[in-house]
Amino acid sequence: PADGTDGLLGKRGKGVFHIHTLGCQMNVHDSERIAGVLEANGYVPATEDQINDNDLDLLVLNTCAVRENAAERMYGTIGRFNRVKLVRPNLQIAVGGCMAQLDRKKIADTAPWVSAVFGTKNIEDLPKLLDQNRATGKAQVQVTEQLRQFPSQLPAARASRISSWVAISVGCNNTCTFCIVPTTRGKEKDRRPGDILDEIRQCVADGAKEVTLLGQNVNAFGLDKSGDGTSFASLLRQVSAIPGLKRLRYVSPHPKDMTEEDVELFGTLDNLCPRLHLPMQAGSDRILRRMNRRYDSAAFLRLVENLHRARPDIALSSDLIVGFPGETEEDFQDTLSMIRRVNFVASYSFCYSPRPGTRAALFPDKIDKQTKTDRLERLQALQEELGVRWLKGRVGSTTEVLLEQPSPRQDVDGLGSWQGRDPYGALIHVALPAGRDYTGRLLRVSITGAKKHSLTGSPLADGGNLQ
């Protein structure tokens, strides 16, 4: 029938799907590719109402393996998906991403209601696996170890039309003792510069004003011996020069691979945003050696000093691990001291959790849960203090906000509230006349207030030159 209620082509296409994503920005980008591949094969993305009502034909879980709690969340989510399947027997469930790459057999054995399991390098295989599952009634598993094509060659259904993720590399050649990424994503593979530039030009043509370059070790771009020799700095200059690109960001760099040229570009490229996520992981030299990070605290501080010399107002954030095997209270205090000295505006911090297959999982001197939890709470309290201080220090200054969507706040006196981010990555809420769509507009504002995790602002007297 024309309404597609029998699951054939129609309003529901081959099926209405929803993707639940766990993990990092690369996973978020992969989910855009998964959605693009599904839509190209006749599937239809679910509306908010359909998600709330579980009116779905396909649920996809894109998983993370970096931390133990992410793995636990995966199995918990698969269990919740099964409860949906009990009331929708024809629902297909697919599990992909890093945990699928690692635990393919366990997922298939312990969750027989899963229709398909696909690895990080098998996104394009998902529609075929779903067809085979429908035909046979048996779970389909496709996990390969070698990258057959760069994921960005696949179609993408982008979550935002104004801010785009663009992958420039996949995998990692580092051997950090705590990290499972080289196992789940493989060795580093760079994308061809011409393909990167073509994709960004298309993003801009489609309305993107901001692009974030992605890689597990993004600033190692150019070290791939199969590449054409284009360095990361050279790529940044070429991307920056694309007409219409207002903002350029990248995540996540490795401190040991930040060259002088990379640093200097923060002072010379006008659209390279003054915000850098720089994973430090720990502030103790002894722990950094055990992590095999290949820099020490002095080298990290020199890098921070050089970044501030190139761009005095740069805002730095970080990743931090507490309770790494063998970490003493003195080691932990070294980390707190480094956080203060660097003055991170934000950080993602976690208790160490052993990942099977990593060297650190075999280290004998594990830290007990209570000690790890206590240290994490103290670290996060310090980080919150520094973050709030940074936000309060910005009150009275002016900045430019890229408006993304309406704020949760209600309209007051004919004014709605819109939110967006400025070049420093701060979330800013701005009161604007209600009844208009400001998505993708650039607005100059005066910062009028600071909250715990965000700022408020008002358009400048000239209206902020809304673009």
Side-chain angles (χ1 to χ4, degrees):
D3 66 1
T5 53
D6 60 357
L8 301 177
L9 290 178
K11 289 183 180 180
R12 298 185 74 89
K14 289 183 70 174
V16 173
F17 73 90
H18 173 62
I19 302 172
H20 185 75
T21 306
L22 304 174
C24 67
Q25 294 94 336
M26 187 66 80
N27 267 23
V28 174
H29 181 58
D30 281 351
S31 289
E32 293 181 336
R33 298 293 172 186
I34 293 169
V37 167
L38 289 172
E39 290 185 35
N41 282 269
Y43 291 82
V44 178
T47 65
E48 197 67 37
D49 287 342
Q50 287 174 317
I51 295 170
N52 293 334
D53 294 339
N54 290 321
D55 181 18
L56 304 166
D57 303 299
L58 170 63
L59 269 169
V60 181
L61 178 60
N62 189 11
T63 65
C64 172
V66 171
R67 285 173 292 276
E68 187 177 28
N69 65 343
E72 292 171 352
R73 285 173 62 199
M74 178 196 75
Y75 285 105
T77 303
I78 291 175
R80 289 196 298 275
F81 283 6
N82 185 38
R83 291 196 287 273
V84 179
K85 190 174 177 67
L86 292 176
V87 297
R88 292 188 64 83
N90 293 326
L91 175 73
Q92 288 186 294
I93 297 171
V95 181
C98 292
M99 280 304 296
Q101 190 80 21
L102 289 177
D103 275 13
R104 66 201 81 169
K105 187 175 186 305
K106 182 178 178 181
I107 293 169
D109 289 346
T110 61
W113 55 88
V114 170
S115 307
V117 180
F118 61 104
T120 58
K121 305 172 183 67
N122 300 97
I123 291 173
E124 69 272 26
D125 295 322
L126 180 56
K128 175 190 71 176
L129 298 176
L130 295 170
D131 288 343
Q132 292 171 345
N133 170 257
R134 276 192 293 268
T136 65
K138 297 179 180 179
Q140 303 295 308
V141 180
Q142 186 76 36
V143 176
T144 57
E145 303 299 333
Q146 297 299 319
L147 186 67
R148 290 172 294 179
Q149 63 174 325
F150 203 91
S152 289
Q153 293 175 260
L154 302 172
R158 298 191 183 275
S160 169
R161 65 177 174 84
I162 62 169
S163 183
S164 298
W165 304 100
V166 175
I168 67 170
S169 65
V170 293
C172 182
N173 291 343
N174 290 312
T175 54
C176 300
T177 59
F178 57 82
C179 188
I180 197 66
V181 166
T183 301
T184 59
R185 294 284 182 172
K187 291 291 186 182
E188 185 176 316
K189 178 68 176 174
D190 288 349
R191 192 177 174 197
R192 289 183 294 187
D195 291 344
I196 296 169
L197 296 171
D198 285 345
E199 181 179 351
I200 294 173
R201 291 188 189 102
Q202 187 59 55
C203 289
V204 173
D206 291 341
K209 295 185 177 178
E210 176 179 273
V211 162
T212 301
L213 306 183
L214 287 178
Q216 263 83 33
N217 188 13
V218 67
N219 58 329
F221 182 89
L223 302 181
D224 183 350
K225 291 183 173 57
S226 64
D228 67 0
T230 300
S231 69
F232 182 59
S234 175
L235 179 68
L236 288 177
R237 284 194 294 269
Q238 293 178 65
V239 172
S240 174
I242 292 176
L245 181 63
K246 301 295 185 182
R247 293 183 181 177
L248 172 59
R249 305 180 190 271
Y250 60 83
V251 292
S252 286
H254 195 297
K256 74 176 178 60
D257 292 321
M258 286 288 291
T259 67
E260 290 183 12
E261 195 174 10
D262 297 342
V263 171
E264 290 169 358
L265 291 181
F266 280 100
T268 59
L269 298 182
D270 291 340
N271 54 1
L272 181 58
C273 291
R275 173 68 176 258
L276 182 64
H277 188 73
L278 194 63
M280 184 176 75
Q281 305 299 0
S284 161
D285 290 343
R286 192 177 71 86
I287 297 300
L288 288 170
R289 285 193 298 272
R290 297 201 89 195
M291 290 178 168
N292 195 34
R293 291 293 287 174
R294 291 190 277 177
Y295 56 81
D296 59 18
S297 58
F300 194 91
L301 289 172
R302 284 195 299 272
L303 174 57
V304 169
E305 182 181 343
N306 291 335
L307 285 163
H308 281 290
R309 185 177 295 115
R311 185 70 192 253
D313 57 344
I314 194 167
L316 300 177
S317 57
S318 196
D319 291 333
L320 299 161
I321 297 173
V322 302
F324 191 77
E327 181 188 70
T328 65
E329 179 63 24
E330 182 180 359
D331 293 321
F332 176 66
Q333 289 298 328
D334 287 343
T335 294
L336 296 183
S337 176
M338 283 287 288
I339 293 171
R340 293 187 187 95
R341 294 180 69 179
V342 177
N343 197 24
F344 291 120
V345 302
S347 64
Y348 297 97
S349 52
F350 306 92
C351 292
Y352 168 78
S353 59
R355 309 309 299 131
T358 62
R359 283 173 54 199
L362 303 177
F363 291 175
D365 43 358
K366 302 293 194 299
I367 308 299
D368 66 272
K369 182 177 180 180
Q370 181 57 49
T371 300
K372 288 192 293 186
T373 301
D374 172 70
R375 289 175 183 172
L376 182 64
E377 289 174 352
R378 284 188 280 159
L379 185 152
Q380 291 180 340
L382 171 60
Q383 183 58 77
E384 186 165 296
E385 175 188 329
L386 297 177
V388 169
R389 183 188 305 166
W390 178 68
L391 290 172
K392 287 182 176 179
R394 300 198 58 205
V395 174
S397 65
T398 60
T399 191
E400 185 178 71
V401 181
L402 177 59
L403 297 170
E404 299 168 349
Q405 62 188 23
S407 300
R409 289 168 43 186
Q410 299 295 315
D411 293 353
V412 178
D413 296 330
L415 291 179
S417 180
W418 275 70
Q419 66 185 41
R421 296 191 182 272
D422 72 352
Y424 305 94
L427 181 64
I428 303 179
H429 300 274
V430 187
L432 290 167
R436 292 180 57 187
D437 183 2
Y438 299 98
T439 306
R441 301 293 188 93
L442 287 163
L443 179 69
R444 294 287 300 173
V445 303
S446 173
I447 299 175
T448 56
K451 300 184 176 182
K452 194 171 182 179
H453 300 295
S454 65
L455 297 166
T456 56
S458 298
L460 297 182
D462 59 2
N465 295 317
L466 195 66
Q467 299 180 41

